[in-house]
Amino acid sequence: MAETLPKVVIIGGGTGLSVLLRGLKKFPVDITAIVTVADDGGSSGRLRNELNIPPPGDIRNVLAALSDVEPLVEELFQHRFNKGNNLIGHSLGNLILAAMTNITGDFVHAIREMSTVLNVRGKVLPAANTSVILNAEMEDGTVVSGESKIPFSGKKIKRVFLSPSKIEPLPETVEVIREADLIIIGPGSLYTSILPNLLVPKIGEEVRKAKAKKVYICNVMTQAGETLDFSASDHVKALYDHMQEAFIDTILVNEEEIPANIKSLYEEELAKPVHYDIEKLKSLGLEVLTDKIVSYENNVIRHDTNKVAKLLYGILQQEMT
C-alpha cells in the first residue's frame, strides 16, 4: 500500500508562491496550491477581457514551478513574445491555458489537462472558477477597482473586497483545506495576491476553521502602494481585520541584514525591509520563527526556496509526530 503523504495547502499568488513551490516540491508532501484569479494586468488581463476567462498568469507560473519536465519545455511554456502586434507581451503558457479553456469549456479542466502535460507534482486550484474583480476602499473613502490599478492609486488602503459579491470556490478547494495537515499563507503581495484568495466566501472561513497549523510567510520588503512602512505585525493585523478573526499560528520572518547596495535599489521604489516587531507578534499570540531566508537573483530579493521549504517541512514533521 502506497504511503500517504502529509497534505500541504499553499495560498497565494504572484512570484512569491512560485518561488516557494520550487523548493517544497522536492519534499515528500502532497501539495495543493490555491491561486488568485483577481489579476487584470498584462497578458493575463488582455486574455481575461478578450476571451472572458479567468486570468491565467499566476496559474501558469505555479504550474511551471511544480512541473517535472525538461528545462526546455518549461522555458517554452514560460516564453514571452517580444514581437508581433497581437502576440507581444503574451506568454505561450497563457495562450495554451486560454486555448485549453476554449477547447474544454472549463478553466479548471484546462488546468488539470495542463498539469498532466507538464507532469505537475501536486494540484493547482484557482480560488474560483470565474474571474473576480479586486476593489480597494482607500482611507479617504474612494474606491479603486482592478488589481493592477490598486498599487498605483497613491493612497493608503483601508480594506480590499471582491466583486461580484457571490463567488463560489470549487468544492475540491474546500475539501483540501479541511483535510490539510499544514496551511501556508504567502509569501506574496498582501492586498493583491494573498487577500483575494482568503476573501472568496468559504475559503477564508474554511481556513479559519481548519484543524491544520497555519503558517504565514511574511514578506521581506514593504511594497509601495500596498504596505508602505508596514511592520510584520501590520501585515498580520491586516489579515486579521479582513477575516475578522485571529487565525495564524506561526509567522516566518527573515533575520538577515539586506546588503546596502540592494536596499538602495529598492529605495527607488519606496520599498524597504519589513520591520520585524517580534514582541508585538508574540503579543498577538504568534509563534515567531526567524532565520536567514533570503536569496538574491540579479539584485532582486526573493525567499530562499530551499531554506524556506526545509523550515516548513520541519514544522510539518513536528505536527505529524
Side-chain angles (χ1 to χ4, degrees):
M1 200 168 130
E3 182 196 357
T4 307
L5 297 175
K7 295 179 169 69
V8 178
V9 170
I10 306 173
I11 298 170
T15 319
L17 180 61
S18 307
V19 168
L20 173 59
L21 291 169
R22 285 185 189 279
L24 206 54
K25 74 176 180 184
K26 296 171 187 169
F27 289 86
V29 291
D30 178 354
I31 298 171
T32 302
I34 298 172
V35 188
T36 174
V37 283
D39 187 9
D40 63 356
S43 166
S44 275
R46 283 160 64 194
L47 291 169
R48 168 182 172 144
N49 294 335
E50 289 169 25
L51 303 175
N52 195 25
I53 62 168
D58 280 347
I59 298 278
R60 182 198 83 243
N61 281 327
V62 169
L63 287 171
L66 286 172
S67 68
D68 189 11
V69 286
E70 292 298 321
L72 186 62
V73 177
E74 188 190 328
E75 200 181 321
L76 185 67
F77 188 65
Q78 291 285 56
H79 175 72
R80 199 173 287 278
F81 294 95
N82 54 17
K83 291 186 184 133
N85 289 345
N86 293 325
L87 277 177
I88 200 161
H90 279 306
S91 77
L92 184 61
N94 284 0
L95 296 174
I96 293 172
L97 278 165
M100 196 73 88
T101 304
N102 267 357
I103 291 164
T104 62
D106 181 73
F107 188 55
V108 174
H109 195 153
I111 295 166
R112 282 198 196 110
E113 293 298 331
M114 280 315 301
S115 297
T116 306
V117 170
L118 293 168
N119 198 17
V120 163
R121 295 192 188 189
K123 279 199 290 283
V124 180
L125 299 172
N129 202 9
T130 51
S131 291
V132 300
I133 296 166
L134 183 67
N135 311 280
E137 183 190 343
M138 301 300 173
E139 296 237 303
D140 67 358
T142 56
V143 173
V144 176
S145 289
E147 180 262 356
S148 59
K149 297 184 188 77
I150 291 167
F152 300 101
S153 69
K155 296 174 179 178
K156 192 166 163 45
I157 299 169
K158 183 182 176 187
R159 67 178 185 113
V160 287
F161 61 98
L162 300 176
S163 52
S165 54
K166 190 164 170 46
I167 303 161
E168 282 295 319
L170 303 168
E172 197 179 346
T173 308
V174 171
E175 200 177 307
V176 294
I177 293 169
R178 285 178 183 167
E179 291 177 357
D181 296 303
L182 183 69
I183 295 172
I184 301 161
I185 297 155
S189 302
L190 179 64
Y191 289 104
T192 53
S193 286
I194 294 170
L195 278 165
N197 290 298
L198 295 172
L199 289 171
V200 172
K202 293 185 192 158
I203 289 187
E205 188 187 326
E206 290 296 339
V207 167
R208 289 198 315 259
K209 291 192 310 196
K211 64 183 188 309
K213 186 167 200 168
K214 291 139 207 160
V215 180
Y216 173 53
I217 302 174
C218 192
N219 291 346
V220 177
M221 304 296 286
T222 61
Q223 242 179 312
E226 285 206 40
T227 54
L228 193 68
D229 296 328
F230 266 41
S231 66
S233 68
D234 290 331
H235 283 75
V236 172
K237 281 179 193 154
L239 289 167
Y240 286 2
D241 288 347
H242 281 78
M243 292 295 101
Q244 297 176 338
E245 193 178 314
F247 64 97
I248 296 163
D249 301 299
T250 302
I251 184 168
L252 175 57
V253 297
N254 171 56
E255 64 178 14
E256 189 175 337
E257 185 64 36
I258 308 295
N261 64 317
I262 293 178
K263 253 200 266 195
S264 65
L265 289 173
Y266 273 82
E267 275 166 16
E268 290 169 23
E269 298 172 12
L270 301 179
K272 58 186 184 186
V274 170
H275 168 58
Y276 298 119
D277 43 354
I278 307 288
E279 291 312 310
K280 215 163 194 181
L281 290 168
K282 286 179 178 171
S283 74
L284 290 169
L286 290 162
E287 176 193 13
V288 183
L289 202 55
T290 64
D291 210 324
K292 294 179 176 172
I293 52 169
V294 291
S295 66
Y296 307 98
E297 197 179 314
N298 303 323
N299 291 332
V300 175
I301 297 169
R302 296 270 180 254
H303 280 87
D304 183 321
T305 181
N306 295 318
K307 241 179 178 179
V308 174
K310 197 175 176 183
L311 285 166
L312 292 169
Y313 189 64
I315 294 171
L316 187 58
Q317 282 183 307
Q318 282 176 353
E319 288 302 296
M320 302 302 285
T321 51

